């Protein structure tokens, strides 16, 4: 697990790609509205989808815009965690002074006291790794009448399944938002805004690239765009064509 403030904006992109832009898709605009409403209500929200659909990037960028007036802390889970580990990550993420308390009751008192001092938003990224005890612990902190906590659960479809198995928690989720693949129409609207190499590209080439390699998945588009940018630089070409795309596709195909 890693915990703390939101990461810097340059890390939002999946790969380092000069001139890439965050595009305000319908899903991003909806997330911005949902996150704002959830935080204002001091409620809980779940953002979930398949891998690479842009949920973490959308949530992070939208929350960063609120950060000057909202204290936002994030914990990212990389494996199964214990409740003790979650307590320690909260201690770190909240920048609490001194060593972590040894006993659970003392630790809980410290965390609830800290969360009662002023409003905070806690982002739990890759929340599909949380188990029943840890989810119950988040609910326990959120339910306390004195804490001023908004909680945002972010994860893949496993996150949705994990939360819905916990009726005490899922019944308290204020907003559920599912990210999905970009539709063919959204691709033609979004990708030319995402990076300059697509701005004057033939729409048929964009559709071809999506059908062959990206499949409406924003992480796939980031990888595809980075390789296409490299191909254009190496060949000295100024526009995307099918020969360039075929070279890119050869890089994206897993060897058998």
């Amino acid at each position: 697990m890693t915990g703390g403030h939101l990461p810097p904006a340059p890390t939002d992109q999946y790969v380092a790609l000069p001139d890439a832009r965050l595009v305000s898709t319908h899903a991003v605009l909806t997330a911005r509205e949902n996150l704002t409403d959830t935080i204002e209500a001091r409620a809980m929200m779940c953002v979930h989808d398949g891998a690479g659909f842009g949920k973490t990037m959308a949530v992070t960028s939208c929350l960063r815009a609120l950060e000057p007036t909202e204290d936002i802390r994030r914990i990212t889970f990389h494996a199964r965690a214990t409740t003790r580990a979650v307590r320690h990550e909260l201690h770190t993420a909240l920048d609490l002074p001194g060593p972590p308390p040894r006993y659970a009751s003392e630790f809980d008192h410290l965390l609830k006291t800290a969360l009662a001092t002023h409003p905070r938003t806690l982002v739990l990224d890759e929340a599909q790794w949380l188990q029943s005890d840890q989810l119950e612990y988040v609910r326990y902190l959120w339910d306390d009448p004195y804490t001023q906590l908004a909680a945002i659960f972010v994860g893949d479809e496993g996150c949705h399944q994990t939360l819905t198995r916990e009726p005490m928690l899922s019944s308290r989720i204020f907003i559920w938002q599912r990210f999905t693949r970009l539709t063919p129409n959204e691709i033609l609207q979004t990708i030319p805004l995402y990076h300059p190499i697509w701005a004057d590209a033939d729409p048929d080439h964009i559709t071809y690239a999506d059908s062959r390699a990206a499949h409406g998945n924003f992480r796939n588009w980031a990888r595809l765009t980075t390789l296409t940018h490299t191909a254009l630089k190496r060949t000295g070409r100024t526009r995307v064509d099918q020969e360039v795309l075929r070279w890119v596709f050869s890089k994206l195909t897993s060897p058998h």
Side-chain angles (χ1 to χ4, degrees):
M1 290 185 293
T2 54
H5 293 279
L6 294 176
T11 64
D12 286 350
Q13 300 289 342
Y14 163 63
V15 287
L17 177 61
D19 301 319
R21 294 185 289 265
L22 175 68
V23 184
S24 294
T25 62
H26 175 71
V28 171
L29 293 173
T30 301
R32 185 176 302 157
E33 182 180 272
N34 288 340
L35 288 164
T36 300
D37 292 344
T38 298
I39 290 171
E40 286 182 355
R42 292 293 135 197
M44 292 194 285
M45 176 179 173
C46 176
V47 183
H48 61 100
D49 75 343
F53 291 175
K55 62 186 180 301
T56 297
M57 181 174 68
V59 168
T60 303
S61 61
C62 291
L63 288 176
R64 194 180 290 112
L66 303 174
E67 208 168 24
T69 56
E70 178 68 20
D71 186 354
I72 300 171
R73 308 299 173 108
R74 186 176 81 160
I75 298 175
T76 301
F77 299 92
H78 303 292
R80 297 288 183 190
T82 64
T83 305
R84 179 178 182 276
V86 171
R87 286 189 180 97
H88 280 259
E89 286 298 324
L90 283 168
H91 188 277
T92 300
L94 296 173
D95 296 324
L96 298 182
R102 292 180 59 189
Y103 302 106
S105 59
E106 184 183 355
F107 216 147
D108 294 348
H109 177 73
L110 175 67
L111 291 175
K112 288 194 290 185
T113 300
L115 292 171
T117 57
H118 64 270
R120 285 188 177 89
T121 294
L122 177 64
V123 181
L124 300 154
D125 199 10
E126 303 295 346
Q128 67 271 10
W129 289 107
L130 291 171
Q131 301 176 79
S132 180
D133 287 351
Q134 292 83 62
L135 292 169
E136 173 59 23
Y137 189 68
V138 174
R139 185 190 69 81
Y140 163 74
L141 294 175
W142 180 85
D143 258 351
D144 187 278
Y146 298 103
T147 59
Q148 304 176 65
L149 182 64
I152 314 297
F153 297 92
V154 183
D156 61 20
E157 285 303 322
C159 172
H160 177 266
Q161 296 166 8
T162 298
L163 266 63
T164 53
R165 283 198 296 264
E166 302 296 327
M168 293 290 285
L169 176 67
S170 62
S171 66
R172 288 164 168 77
I173 298 295
F174 184 55
I175 294 175
W176 300 85
Q177 182 178 349
R178 180 173 183 259
F179 272 61
T180 58
R181 296 179 188 275
L182 294 171
T183 67
N185 285 338
E186 286 178 314
I187 291 295
L188 292 176
Q189 295 168 4
T190 299
I191 297 307
L193 301 175
Y194 169 57
H195 195 276
I197 66 171
W198 304 112
D200 62 350
D202 187 324
D204 288 343
H205 289 150
I206 294 175
T207 299
Y208 176 62
D210 189 62
S211 65
R212 285 288 305 274
H215 310 298
N217 183 302
F218 227 115
R219 187 175 298 161
N220 289 346
W221 267 107
R223 185 163 51 238
L224 187 151
T225 302
T226 303
L227 287 168
T228 304
H229 184 260
T230 299
L232 291 174
K233 285 198 303 182
R234 287 182 181 172
T235 61
R237 301 186 186 192
T238 58
R239 295 192 66 185
V240 177
D241 57 34
Q242 290 213 6
E243 186 177 351
V244 166
L245 289 176
R246 283 193 291 271
W247 179 86
V248 170
F249 298 158
S250 73
K251 302 292 184 182
L252 296 172
T253 302
S254 299
H256 295 291

